[in-house]
Amino acid sequence: MSLSMYSAFIPVAIHTLNNLAAILAKGAAHCEARKIDPNAFLTARIYPDMFPLIRQVQIASDTVKGGAARLAGIDMPKYEDNETTFAELQARLDKTVAFLKTIQPAQIDGKEDADIVLSFPSRTFEFKGQAYLTGWVLPNLYFHTTTAYNLLRHGGVEIGKADFLGGA
């Protein structure tokens, strides 16, 4: 039995975003328990030329909602990218998971050879559907989720691999 595009993507993305939400909740609780200004985490960067925690979460969300919409051939939900708190980031992840849950297998399965074009100011990327999912969407989801995890862990939040994997 082969693994469908839907099965390789939507349940995985939902699981990963839910784990990210749980990690953020631990970050918020850490700040509250230790009387730390949450902005110390929300604006933290691994290195000056990297995005802060807030943007890492936004990009993880954007990557999967964009991936699902492009593969399904539907309009992508637009978010304002104006989150400034742990609670607002949680709400964004919840909204993204709710969107992903509207996607049906028939909308994505069979799109392995669909043409996907991503245009950025400095570059355009052209993919076939499966290569887009496995070479762009999932790696970006994991990169930005991992970076968010690392920022919180580096700041002393008591999270571990089980939090990242979510009991997988």
Side-chain angles (χ1 to χ4, degrees):
M1 173 189 265
S2 64
L3 182 65
S4 73
M5 292 273 287
Y6 178 90
S7 295
F9 178 24
I10 300 300
V12 171
I14 289 170
H15 180 78
T16 302
L17 293 182
N18 285 334
N19 295 347
L20 179 55
I23 289 166
L24 291 174
K26 286 190 174 189
H30 177 86
C31 290
E32 187 174 324
R34 288 166 180 77
K35 307 294 185 232
I36 298 170
D37 179 357
N39 285 320
F41 284 97
L42 296 166
T43 61
R45 301 168 187 262
I46 290 176
Y47 195 76
D49 68 351
M50 291 181 73
F51 289 123
L53 176 66
I54 288 173
R55 191 72 186 121
Q56 299 295 337
V57 175
Q58 291 168 338
I59 294 172
S61 164
D62 288 346
T63 297
V64 296
K65 71 182 174 73
R70 287 182 187 96
L71 288 169
I74 61 175
D75 289 334
M76 182 183 348
K78 302 221 185 309
Y79 301 165
E80 293 185 35
D81 293 339
N82 59 359
E83 295 84 9
T84 60
T85 67
F86 280 110
E88 289 170 351
L89 290 173
Q90 295 266 357
R92 181 191 183 103
L93 293 175
D94 290 345
K95 187 168 44 171
T96 305
V97 167
F99 168 69
L100 293 175
K101 287 181 177 180
T102 70
I103 304 296
Q104 299 300 307
Q107 292 176 275
I108 292 181
D109 288 343
K111 300 289 180 80
E112 292 83 357
D113 293 319
D115 291 321
I116 305 290
V117 178
L118 296 178
S119 294
F120 297 98
S122 64
R123 188 165 178 199
T124 297
F125 296 92
E126 296 181 11
F127 299 94
K128 293 297 184 183
Q130 185 173 341
Y132 171 62
L133 174 61
T134 61
W136 184 270
V137 175
L138 292 175
N140 271 287
L141 170 61
Y142 291 134
F143 175 86
H144 293 286
T145 301
T146 300
T147 302
Y149 168 94
N150 287 335
L151 285 163
L152 293 169
R153 183 69 189 109
H154 179 74
V157 178
E158 293 182 17
I159 52 177
K161 187 175 181 180
D163 295 293
F164 183 87
L165 296 175

